[in-house]
Amino acid sequence: MNVGIGYAIALVCIFGAYIIHGGNMTVIIHALPTELLAIFGGSLGAFVVTNQGKTLKAVKAALPTLFKGSRYTKERYMDLLGMLFEILVKIRKEGLMSVEKDVDDPHSSPVFSKYEKISSDHHVMDFITDYLRIMVSGNLNAMEIENLMDIEIETHHHEGHAPAAAITRLGDALPAFGIVAAVLGVVNTMGSVGQPPAVLGGMIGSALVGTFLGILLAYAFVGPLGTLLEQKLDESSKEFQCIKTVLLASMQGYAPQTAVEFGRKVLYSTERPSFAELEQSIKGKK
């Protein structure tokens, strides 16, 4: 929603100012198809050359998420902390081995299945179940598990950064391809020397549209998408950090209610439930 609104504001303000100053939209509209073909064609070719196949697939998968709101809401974190609380309570009452079946088949788990928003996210569930499995095995201490978690979160962040970086590089390249389109227009104009000034003026104006479009697309359309992807990546990493904090607190001997409180404090203030909200939510789960 915000992406569409932002694009609309940019277009209305930029072209509105152009029209107010007496600009002729006919020149831009006439040049638009060929200039966009040159700019998008050149940048798309460079984009394919620059990025590996897995990065191209990651970009394709990430693009639809840009036009959706954030899924990392207070309600989602309440569910996440509630689920972790229930698991930790079960471990505290019945021992680590009691969650072995939940870990091996989370979709059939009476605990995990109650939290559909979380259990349907296989990245989050893999992270939780993998480390619960390690905890059940008892082969690693808290410090070793923390180091392993940090490495996995860093890997997740690095992988998520690839499509954001690819789109940012594309945005950075667009002004140069706009210049390429403009130069071609100037070459075409120079080949038409001898035409009436009005014709040459129109041809020069069309050529300059390429430079304008390259800059506009870079800074008003494509570049902001890369920044937005980075923000979404930070949100997803924060969720993993929350899970890490809760599980490590439990391993260090803290009670489930205290462990989830540690996890709550990790969250961004805009989505973090209050102490009272979390306490009220988990009160019925004890």
Side-chain angles (χ1 to χ4, degrees), residues 236-253:
S236 67
S237 296
K238 180 60 66 177
E239 185 172 46
F240 286 110
Q241 291 169 359
C242 174
I243 297 167
K244 165 195 160 183
T245 302
V246 173
L247 294 181
L248 288 175
S250 176
M251 287 192 69
Q252 292 166 353

Side-chain angles (χ1 to χ4, degrees), residues 162-178:
I167 291 177
T168 299
R169 286 193 298 268
L170 175 62
D172 291 340
L174 282 170
F177 285 104

Side-chain angles (χ1 to χ4, degrees), residues 135-278:
M135 290 167 62
V136 169
S137 71
N139 294 327
L140 297 177
N141 59 38
M143 185 176 296
E144 292 170 322
I145 291 179
E146 181 178 11
N147 183 56
L148 190 58
M149 286 179 168
D150 288 338
I151 293 172
E152 183 170 354
I153 292 172
E154 182 181 353
T155 301
H156 163 79
H157 192 87
H158 183 75
E159 289 179 340
H161 178 71
I167 291 177
T168 299
R169 286 193 298 268
L170 175 62
D172 291 340
L174 282 170
F177 285 104
I179 293 173
V180 169
V183 169
L184 289 176
V186 171
V187 170
N188 186 39
T189 302
M190 296 302 291
S192 302
V193 172
Q195 296 288 335
V199 174
L200 291 175
M203 295 178 71
I204 294 172
S206 296
L208 292 176
V209 168
T211 303
F212 161 72
L213 287 176
I215 297 172
L216 175 66
L217 292 171
Y219 296 109
F221 287 83
V222 178
L225 295 182
T227 303
L228 182 57
L229 268 183
E230 286 283 0
Q231 294 173 5
K232 288 180 175 290
L233 175 60
D234 287 340
E235 285 186 316
S236 67
S237 296
K238 180 60 66 177
E239 185 172 46
F240 286 110
Q241 291 169 359
C242 174
I243 297 167
K244 165 195 160 183
T245 302
V246 173
L247 294 181
L248 288 175
S250 176
M251 287 192 69
Q252 292 166 353
Y254 289 98
Q257 188 165 355
T258 305
V260 296
E261 174 62 17
F262 283 12
R264 183 187 75 86
K265 297 299 288 183
V266 170
L267 301 174
Y268 290 125
S269 60
T270 48
E271 291 80 39
R272 182 195 304 150
S274 68
F275 175 84
E277 288 174 324
L278 181 59

Side-chain angles (χ1 to χ4, degrees), residues 32-172:
L32 202 60
T34 54
E35 298 300 313
L36 285 179
L37 177 62
I39 295 169
F40 274 123
S43 59
L44 180 60
F47 185 75
V48 172
V49 172
T50 304
N51 298 289
Q52 294 181 323
K54 61 181 180 181
T55 303
L56 295 176
K57 290 180 181 178
V59 171
K60 182 180 178 182
L63 284 177
T65 67
L66 293 169
F67 301 93
K68 300 177 182 178
S70 175
R71 62 177 178 171
Y72 299 100
T73 61
K74 180 186 290 188
E75 290 72 23
R76 179 183 174 93
Y77 286 128
M78 292 275 279
D79 282 349
L80 175 64
L81 293 171
M83 184 180 75
L84 291 172
F85 177 80
E86 286 201 51
I87 284 291
L88 296 182
V89 167
K90 186 174 182 178
I91 290 173
R92 196 173 185 86
K93 289 181 177 178
E94 304 174 27
L96 273 168
M97 296 303 295
S98 65
V99 298
E100 190 172 14
K101 290 184 178 178
D102 298 283
V103 169
D104 290 338
D105 189 8
H107 297 292
S108 301
S109 165
V111 176
F112 292 141
S113 59
K114 289 168 58 178
Y115 301 92
E116 187 177 350
K117 288 183 180 179
I118 308 299
S119 60
S120 61
D121 189 328
H122 73 90
H123 292 295
V124 171
M125 290 306 301
D126 286 347
F127 189 83
I128 293 172
T129 54
D130 283 350
Y131 288 103
L132 285 174
R133 192 176 291 111
I134 293 173
M135 290 167 62
V136 169
S137 71
N139 294 327
L140 297 177
N141 59 38
M143 185 176 296
E144 292 170 322
I145 291 179
E146 181 178 11
N147 183 56
L148 190 58
M149 286 179 168
D150 288 338
I151 293 172
E152 183 170 354
I153 292 172
E154 182 181 353
T155 301
H156 163 79
H157 192 87
H158 183 75
E159 289 179 340
H161 178 71
I167 291 177
T168 299
R169 286 193 298 268
L170 175 62
D172 291 340

